Amino acid sequence: MTDYRIGIDVGGTNTDAVVMDGDDNLLAKTKTPTTEDITSGILSALDVVLDDSGVSEDELDYVMLGTTHATNAITERRGLNEVGVIRIGAPATQSIRPLLEWPDDLAAAIGNNVAILDGGHEFDGRLLNDLDEEQVRAQIREFADVDAFAVTSVFSPVRDDHETRVAELIREEVGDDVPISVSNEIGSVGLLERENATALNAALTSVASEAANAFVEAMDERGIDANLYFGQNDGTLMSVDYAIRYPIFTVASGPSNSVRGAAYLSAVENGIIVDVGGTTTDVGAVTEGFPRESSVAVEIGEVKTNFRMPDIIAIGIGGGSIVSTDDGVTVGPQSVGYKLTEEAKCFGGETLTATDLEVAAGTIDIGSETPDVDAEIVEAAREYVRERVEREVDRMKTSAEPVPVVIVGGGSILVPDDIAGASEVHKPDHYEVANAVGVAIAQVSGEVDRIYSLDEMDREEAIQHAKDEATDNALAAGADADSVDIVDVEEVPLSYLPGNAVRIKVKAAGALDH
Amino acid sequence: MKITTDNIDDFATGATVLGTGGGGDPYIGKLMAQQAIEEHGPVDLIDPRDVPDDALVIPSAMLGAPTVMVEKMPKGTEALSAFEALETHLGQEAYATMSIEAGGLNSTVPIAVAAALGLPLVDADGMGRAFPEVQMVTLTMGGVSATPMSIADEKGNSLLVNTVSNEYAEAFARVTSIEMGGACMIGTYALSGAEVREHAILDSMSLAHDIGEAIRTAKHHSRDPVESVLDLTDGYELFAGKITDVERRTEGGFAVGEATLDGIDDCEGRTFTLDFQNENLVARDSERGVVASTPDLITVLDAETGDPVTTERLAYGHRVRVIGMPCSPKWRTDEGLGLVGPGYFDYSIDYEPIETLQQPKHD
């Protein structure tokens, strides 16, 4: 059984790729510059690792891609769909219209088509208002020219029938080709944040489908007939079809891949991961092998959202960070970024970077020159980096107990081995391509996040119901039925509410179906 | 002054500081106010001293479960029918509306109500901070009744409630809010201009605005935002530390818990605890014992940005500065302490004003 697979992570600076075999042994790895068209960078990374590993195109079973394409499309307002944003909940919720707090240019980029229509449910599943199907149809016809729909109904995490019905009505009115995003599949309780995430998802479907098609074509071009997957931000995979429907879940998949890869390479299942890149260092937490989720609303493109996102803190320190000695020694947040090989002193440039210090100290040997830097400055800069990293590692912890810390990424050399609060510090082999490893070893998952009334069913039933639904979702995403496990169950009683309302979140994950 | 879409953020930030960790998410109230001002124009914030003695002021508020309020926001016109019902009952037209609490969500919701009704907002409130229950206002001590209270939902249902005490008003409003789907709007504590001046806490809305503005401009000019807040509130910095533990549980509808901090900077070597029930209620220093307690205000600010941190957001590793601010003298009476003192929340400590606690102790 070979089961060769390739993991590719397209970052802002580098495109990394690895080849692994069925036993998760790493056979080849490469780091190549990310290209403007992305595809050519992917292909050149692919060629290098296939060549080095001796694995041929037709031996590949899986190709997994991690990409920041969706995030960039939002921040750059590029290629976004015009979206019809339909909220079901009138007469409630009219005091805050959809997209109210969005940046004007982003709201304009998706067309500012919003409507609040009759319907929705109460927290306990009672009807808030009847759905007025004629009113919905009329609104859909008014939005006939949009590229995609985003549908949100009040308390759809409790009852989704109004969202489901509106999606059917959209199908009947405008056909099967227009993408529809429904909020209960995307976010949790908190209408505005869930609606925002749903609208962003709808805005991204065309960009996602272009990226997916480019990926598929690139594989065709190399004669690769493998199963293709995208990395998503909980550290698991989704099929190409799923990625086109739920592109929002690829946002922040890069740091998640690094967390998974670092956990795998170091065999640390619970701890803190520090990923040192070219311009920033991401600090995240791994819990039972998966990235810990953020518990607060996360902003994407200045828009508050509440879909699951990894709990990550980014600090402005990386290999390309500019070292200043004006007022004590500081490192970053300014960076030479992708121009490291032009501007850094070790490459003959004029700017003193964090990389130059390590070259001067003799810990790494890259570039054409060895900059002349005082040992004291090197020491002070390392101390500066250590303090910043220690502080963020500490913030990522949930208690004062020392925990294992894993350092990965191209700039790992910048971070010292003795970190306060760490029970042990790992810099595993292949640390520089941890993100590509993370996507290559990923499983597929399914989750559910719902409110149950324990007056109607007992607690065991409710949890079982959630587990079954999460398992079904994992199977739908491509998991092998025999390998699906429940990896997380979270239960939150809701204060102030009668009916024993409880919010249950379950995640199931399993190996790829062969 | 005018409340506009340009300064609404400052009101919301300051209201979060005065919310002492609780009071609901001001984000919802801020957006309601923003939309209402966009539709109806800016709101006049009027000096309570300029309100005629016999003018009718009807405070307004949103009441319900936080989980519901972030999912089912108001229609925006609930207050119209609620106010009409009260006006008919009292035989007088409303002159203005007012916030019942200067902290949290309900500081900004009445701005939306004022805009929608075309009424001015009185620069005053009934708490000077945030508390969880309807009867916990200085107006209760002044003998102002919470009823007749109008309770309205987005569907058009409204109730007019009369009770024998403000505690009953709280109880009935809470039950009704569940029937209305977990959240509703109320018009309550109808009072005269003379009563506002005598029993409410004056100038608290402009204080919220000034606090928010001070934090924003301090950040912009790289000044210390915490110092700016202390200047405005006659407050004290109680502790600078790192949160090392947060314990939480739900008791009787309250989010109850305790946060532990380890000192940083000048506070190094000391520890600190913060007891909260929705709001922060008691602060203790390892060396000095209780350093502040309800009804004085205790607020946690981010050590770097000065942004207020609510009790829900307290988490291990967060570097914060805890400040204490004196409450209104109205709360420091026996009656006031009976309503909102440490004993009401089941803490077996005697209240001492923060100014006294901050004096060096002598044997």
Side-chain angles (χ1 to χ4, degrees):
Chain A
M1 193 72 193
T2 50
D3 266 355
Y4 291 120
R5 53 215 145 105
I6 287 195
I8 303 168
D9 184 276
V10 184
T13 317
N14 288 307
T15 296
D16 301 347
V18 297
V19 179
M20 299 184 88
D21 67 16
D23 299 323
D24 290 342
N25 298 307
L26 190 146
L27 305 179
K29 59 184 173 183
T30 187
K31 237 179 160 51
T32 56
T34 294
T35 51
E36 184 141 14
D37 66 346
I38 293 176
T39 315
S40 58
I42 291 176
L43 287 176
S44 50
L46 193 71
D47 293 342
V48 172
V49 286
L50 285 180
D51 211 34
D52 288 356
S53 64
V55 173
S56 69
E57 280 86 351
D58 53 14
E59 287 180 292
L60 285 176
D61 287 323
Y62 301 103
V63 179
M64 292 91 163
L65 182 73
T67 163
T68 52
H69 210 68
T71 323
N72 298 345
I74 296 170
T75 47
E76 294 162 22
R77 284 88 166 107
R78 182 168 40 79
L80 299 177
N81 285 326
E82 186 170 348
V83 180
V85 181
I86 296 180
R87 183 197 294 169
I88 303 297
T93 77
Q94 294 176 48
S95 58
I96 305 175
R97 67 170 184 274
L99 315 186
L100 174 68
E101 84 280 37
W102 283 40
D104 290 344
D105 60 340
L106 186 56
I110 72 159
N112 247 324
N113 310 293
V114 302
I116 305 175
L117 307 178
D118 293 354
H121 292 88
E122 305 282 11
F123 68 91
D124 51 5
R126 273 182 287 161
L127 198 66
L128 166 63
N129 194 3
D130 289 314
L131 191 68
D132 179 344
E133 298 204 353
E134 276 319 303
Q135 186 193 33
V136 174
R137 284 181 193 278
Q139 189 62 56
I140 295 166
R141 289 193 285 267
E142 203 167 302
F143 285 164
D145 294 333
V146 299
D147 306 310
F149 283 90
V151 183
T152 305
S153 153
V154 171
F155 276 112
S156 64
V158 178
R159 284 194 62 167
D160 58 14
D161 27 337
H162 282 183
E163 281 183 4
T164 308
R165 183 61 190 146
V166 171
E168 286 168 6
L169 294 174
I170 293 172
R171 288 271 159 270
E172 289 175 22
E173 289 294 328
V174 298
D176 291 335
D177 297 335
V178 178
I180 304 169
S181 302
V182 290
S183 81
N184 73 84
E185 294 178 355
I186 291 178
S188 52
V189 174
L191 181 101
L192 294 173
E193 290 91 344
R194 187 174 73 250
E195 179 177 75
N196 289 343
T198 308
L200 286 174
N201 189 70
L204 287 168
T205 48
S206 294
V207 168
S209 129
E210 277 165 30
N213 289 336
F215 181 38
V216 171
E217 277 166 26
M219 295 305 118
D220 284 349
E221 201 174 298
R222 285 294 185 276
I224 295 171
D225 180 28
N227 294 299
L228 306 182
Y229 287 93
F230 280 88
Q232 52 180 342
N233 65 8
D234 63 350
T236 65
L237 299 171
M238 51 184 168
S239 65
V240 172
D241 288 347
Y242 193 91
I244 294 171
R245 282 175 59 200
Y246 302 104
I248 194 87
F249 291 144
T250 64
V251 169
S253 61
S256 294
N257 291 335
S258 294
V259 168
R260 284 278 298 164
Y264 173 74
L265 291 171
S266 63
V268 169
E269 293 272 295
N270 293 283
I272 307 294
I273 310 296
V274 179
D275 180 11
V276 192
T279 51
T280 60
T281 293
D282 291 333
V283 182
V286 59
T287 308
E288 303 300 329
F290 284 91
R292 187 173 76 214
E293 246 181 66
S294 174
S295 58
V296 297
V298 175
E299 287 193 5
I300 302 170
E302 295 172 62
V303 172
K304 272 195 184 188
T305 62
N306 68 358
F307 71 104
R308 57 109 207 280
M309 284 277 277
D311 193 0
I312 301 285
I313 303 172
I315 51 176
I317 292 178
S321 290
I322 297 172
V323 178
S324 157
T325 53
D326 295 345
D327 188 14
V329 176
T330 59
V331 183
Q334 276 74 39
S335 167
V336 295
Y338 66 93
K339 290 186 175 161
L340 185 74
T341 54
E342 294 166 34
E343 296 191 3
K345 290 197 168 182
C346 62
F347 291 100
E350 292 296 311
T351 312
L352 184 64
T353 66
T355 303
D356 293 321
L357 300 185
E358 297 301 331
V359 175
T363 43
I364 44 171
D365 180 20
I366 57 167
S368 52
E369 290 170 33
T370 306
D372 183 22
V373 186
D374 278 355
E376 278 169 31
I377 292 179
V378 174
E379 204 39 52
R382 283 180 180 164
E383 208 41 48
Y384 181 87
V385 173
R386 180 214 306 279
E387 275 175 26
R388 293 294 312 277
V389 170
E390 278 177 353
R391 173 177 286 215
E392 301 314 324
V393 164
D394 193 45
R395 273 180 68 184
M396 268 295 137
K397 289 160 66 173
T398 52
S399 80
E401 290 294 303
V403 296
V405 173
V406 186
I407 300 169
V408 294
S412 293
I413 191 73
L414 303 179
V415 180
D417 287 341
D418 49 333
I419 300 281
S423 57
E424 51 198 344
V425 174
H426 300 258
K427 281 184 187 167
D429 287 348
H430 314 306
Y431 63 86
E432 76 282 12
V433 289
N435 43 16
V437 171
V439 72
I441 55 131
Q443 297 181 309
V444 282
S445 72
E447 56 187 335
V448 69
D449 181 355
R450 287 205 171 276
I451 295 174
Y452 291 89
S453 167
L454 298 188
D455 281 356
E456 288 160 23
M457 57 172 92
D458 66 30
R459 184 173 160 273
E460 298 304 314
E461 270 180 275
I463 292 178
Q464 194 54 51
H465 182 272
K467 284 181 175 174
D468 292 346
E469 202 173 325
T471 304
D472 287 346
N473 290 344
L475 296 177
D480 167 33
D482 294 334
S483 74
V484 175
D485 276 329
I486 302 296
V487 293
D488 193 28
V489 179
E490 198 184 330
E491 209 183 333
V492 190
L494 300 178
S495 58
Y496 270 121
L497 295 180
N500 257 323
V502 60
R503 180 172 166 191
I504 299 175
K505 292 169 74 171
V506 176
K507 177 182 286 201
L512 286 164
D513 195 3
H514 292 204
Chain B
M1 76 182 289
K2 296 260 186 210
I3 305 175
T4 67
T5 51
D6 291 331
N7 60 20
I8 191 72
D9 278 341
D10 289 339
F11 279 98
T13 307
T16 312
V17 172
L18 296 177
T20 64
D25 188 353
Y27 179 64
I28 294 289
K30 184 190 88 173
L31 294 180
M32 284 172 65
Q34 187 181 329
Q35 175 165 326
I37 292 169
E38 275 175 21
E39 281 171 16
H40 305 282
V43 168
D44 276 322
L45 184 67
I46 57 171
D47 192 319
R49 294 153 200 92
D50 297 338
V51 180
D53 272 355
D54 57 353
L56 174 65
V57 176
I58 308 178
S60 47
M62 197 173 169
L63 186 139
T67 327
V68 172
M69 296 198 282
V70 297
E71 178 71 24
K72 189 183 76 163
M73 296 88 69
K75 179 184 182 191
T77 55
E78 290 88 342
L80 287 174
S81 54
F83 272 56
E84 272 167 22
L86 270 181
E87 286 171 335
T88 309
H89 186 80
L90 297 167
Q92 192 180 352
E93 272 188 30
Y95 177 86
T97 187
M98 189 176 108
S99 299
I100 211 69
E101 52 187 333
L105 168 72
N106 272 328
S107 63
T108 41
V109 166
I111 299 175
V113 171
L117 295 176
L119 291 176
L121 183 77
V122 181
D123 187 1
D125 81 303
M127 299 182 191
R129 46 167 298 158
F131 279 123
E133 295 173 7
V134 168
Q135 78 279 4
M136 295 176 170
V137 288
T138 50
L139 308 173
T140 297
M141 292 184 282
V144 180
S145 174
T147 66
M149 173 193 270
S150 52
I151 310 177
D153 69 13
E154 67 282 344
K155 303 171 193 78
N157 298 306
S158 69
L159 272 76
L160 200 61
V161 174
N162 280 290
T163 61
V164 295
S165 73
N166 293 349
E167 283 77 8
Y168 270 116
E170 156 72 23
F172 292 139
R174 201 64 66 180
V175 170
T176 307
S177 79
I178 298 299
E179 285 308 311
M180 289 180 164
C184 58
M185 291 288 301
I186 58 172
T188 183
Y189 288 104
L191 74 179
S192 70
E195 286 175 312
V196 170
R197 278 189 291 282
E198 198 175 343
H199 304 302
I201 295 181
L202 308 187
D203 309 320
S204 45
M205 291 301 291
S206 47
L207 176 63
H209 166 267
D210 293 350
I211 292 172
E213 185 183 46
I215 292 175
R216 177 172 53 80
T217 55
K219 265 192 288 197
H220 188 71
H221 297 291
S222 306
R223 288 197 308 265
D224 182 6
V226 178
E227 286 301 323
S228 316
V229 176
L230 296 180
D231 286 346
L232 282 166
T233 57
D234 299 322
Y236 303 88
E237 178 159 352
L238 301 175
F239 200 75
K242 185 188 97 175
I243 299 172
T244 54
D245 192 34
V246 185
E247 243 188 83
R248 304 171 198 277
R249 57 200 180 276
T250 307
E251 271 175 23
F254 289 143
V256 181
E258 187 185 290
T260 311
L261 289 79
D262 259 358
I264 51 176
D265 303 333
D266 291 349
C267 299
E268 196 141 353
R270 281 149 61 197
T271 57
F272 190 85
T273 60
L274 199 57
D275 292 344
F276 55 87
Q277 297 186 22
N278 294 1
E279 287 78 29
N280 301 311
L281 296 179
V282 181
R284 292 183 178 88
D285 186 299
S286 60
E287 282 179 11
R288 300 158 62 209
V290 173
V291 290
S293 80
T294 175
D296 286 328
L297 290 71
I298 304 165
T299 293
V300 179
L301 303 174
D302 182 280
E304 277 167 36
T305 64
D307 288 325
V309 183
T310 59
T311 53
E312 296 148 24
R313 302 282 297 269
L314 296 172
Y316 176 87
H318 205 150
R319 264 88 175 158
V320 297
R321 292 161 76 178
V322 185
I323 62 170
M325 300 164 277
C327 66
S328 156
K330 290 191 168 75
W331 284 129
R332 293 175 168 183
T333 57
D334 286 347
E335 211 186 346
L337 294 173
L339 273 179
V340 296
Y344 183 86
F345 297 98
D346 283 336
Y347 296 107
S348 53
I349 55 169
D350 288 326
Y351 170 77
E352 277 190 80
I354 189 167
E355 303 91 300
T356 318
L357 292 168
Q358 289 298 314
Q359 299 297 321
K361 279 186 183 144
H362 301 286
D363 294 328

